[in-house]
Amino acid sequence: QLSRAAERVAGGARRFDVRRATFGAYVHALERDGVVVPVESPNGAPTYRAAPTMGALARHLAHELDVRSRAEVTRVRREDHGFRLDVTRDGEVPEIHAGRVLVVTAPPEQTRALLRDFALADEPRLASVTSDPCFALVVTFSRVRRAPAALPSPFERAERELGSDRETWVFHTTREFARAHLERSPSEVEKELVPLAAAALDADEIPSFALVHRWRYARTHRKEETEALVDPDARLVVAGDYLGDGRIESAYESGLLAADHVLELLRSS
């Protein structure tokens, strides 16, 4: 269901802006390749979205990489010549993966849990970061009579899908609602949210498509300069948008810094 929704609409980041030259040069290359297109900016900064949906950017970045979906890393162990990861996929027999250097880009709460046996987990720049949850409702109606002037609780944002020829909308809930209902099934939350979205849009109440996605780690609130963390002795690197201001540009910059650390660790070995 989620993969079908990804082809229709982005339930997470809707667009991204460019504020610094390094990221700008990379985005211009993506634009030349047709991966991203410019859109109207809400803040005056150059703003883009991937085409046809934001998932296209992830697929472009993942080209030629070995990406394992629905795989949970259950344990991280340090060995003489690198790392060993215990990985479980869909409840099957665990897999073992090994490498010389480990880069972790999971949300801060998951990163701390994975690295609980490593000193880097207690690094203040990682230990102090927390995430807020959110539910995203993706919904398509045959007809919408108005754009929502005021959003009913528990929604805090609503936006029509960029570039869509259908009346597809994305609603995001408040963090308070998400925290209160975090462990409910997405289908239960969907039944509660769809009528509220229909009322906000003055739309037919039965949508042609609806899907709720639970973002357990949706937003962070750190506003410092972007960085990546490294423990040279452990040959361990941590990166992520939360090590900046939480925007996609911060994810890119943190990834570049992490790559520099990895190259240095490999050279030193």
Side-chain angles (χ1 to χ4, degrees):
Q1 240 190 344
L2 198 55
S3 63
R4 284 196 296 123
E7 294 302 320
R8 290 171 173 256
V9 66
R14 314 276 297 122
R15 58 172 72 86
F16 61 90
D17 61 8
V18 176
R19 303 181 189 179
R20 291 179 281 275
T22 301
F23 187 50
Y26 180 67
V27 171
H28 288 154
L30 293 176
E31 185 179 6
R32 287 194 301 270
D33 292 340
V35 179
V36 302
V37 295
V39 296
E40 183 178 352
S41 171
N43 58 17
T47 303
Y48 299 83
R49 67 171 175 86
T53 69
M54 288 294 282
L57 179 56
R59 290 189 290 273
H60 175 79
L61 294 170
H63 180 61
E64 295 185 343
L65 296 180
D66 180 9
V67 178
R68 309 292 179 92
S69 61
R70 299 186 302 276
E72 179 185 3
V73 179
T74 57
R75 187 177 179 186
V76 177
R77 284 178 276 181
R78 186 76 172 88
E79 297 187 334
D80 290 341
H81 301 291
F83 285 90
R84 171 174 166 160
L85 306 182
D86 295 348
V87 179
T88 301
R89 299 186 66 191
D90 292 331
E92 297 177 355
V93 177
E95 303 173 355
I96 304 299
H97 297 272
R100 295 163 60 193
V101 176
L102 178 63
V103 181
V104 181
T105 63
E109 292 86 349
Q110 292 179 321
T111 296
R112 290 193 294 266
L114 283 173
L115 303 181
R116 58 186 176 274
D117 297 329
F118 297 85
L120 200 56
D122 298 321
E123 214 285 344
R125 290 169 292 179
L126 173 58
S128 63
V129 183
T130 58
S131 305
D132 288 331
C134 176
F135 283 103
L137 168 67
V138 180
V139 61
T140 301
F141 292 102
S142 59
R143 183 172 59 163
V144 167
R145 297 179 181 87
R146 66 167 184 262
L151 290 174
S153 176
F155 297 127
E156 68 174 10
R157 293 197 308 277
E159 188 172 9
R160 190 176 186 274
E161 169 62 1
L162 299 170
S164 175
D165 59 357
R166 295 180 286 248
E167 286 294 344
T168 298
W169 289 73
V170 179
F171 289 79
H172 289 101
T173 69
T174 64
R175 62 187 179 185
E176 291 80 11
F177 176 87
R179 283 175 178 157
H181 301 275
L182 195 60
E183 301 309 327
R184 291 177 66 191
S185 71
S187 61
E188 290 178 336
V189 176
E190 178 186 314
K191 291 177 183 177
E192 180 175 343
L193 295 184
V194 166
L196 297 174
L201 297 168
D202 194 12
D204 301 328
E205 186 161 331
I206 300 176
S208 59
F209 176 85
L211 180 69
V212 161
H213 182 64
R214 173 177 52 207
W215 297 102
R216 193 176 290 272
Y217 310 106
R219 309 181 189 98
T220 58
H221 302 285
R222 189 177 183 274
K223 300 296 183 182
E224 300 173 25
E225 183 177 353
T226 303
E227 59 190 333
L229 308 179
V230 59
D231 183 340
D233 295 331
R235 303 168 65 79
L236 176 63
V237 180
V238 171
D241 60 358
Y242 66 89
L243 291 172
D245 60 13
R247 295 180 304 112
I248 287 178
E249 186 167 28
S250 287
Y252 174 82
E253 292 174 336
S254 185
L256 285 185
L257 294 170
D260 289 339
H261 287 314
V262 169
L263 291 173
E264 183 58 33
L265 290 171
L266 292 175
R267 290 191 195 104
S268 65
S269 64

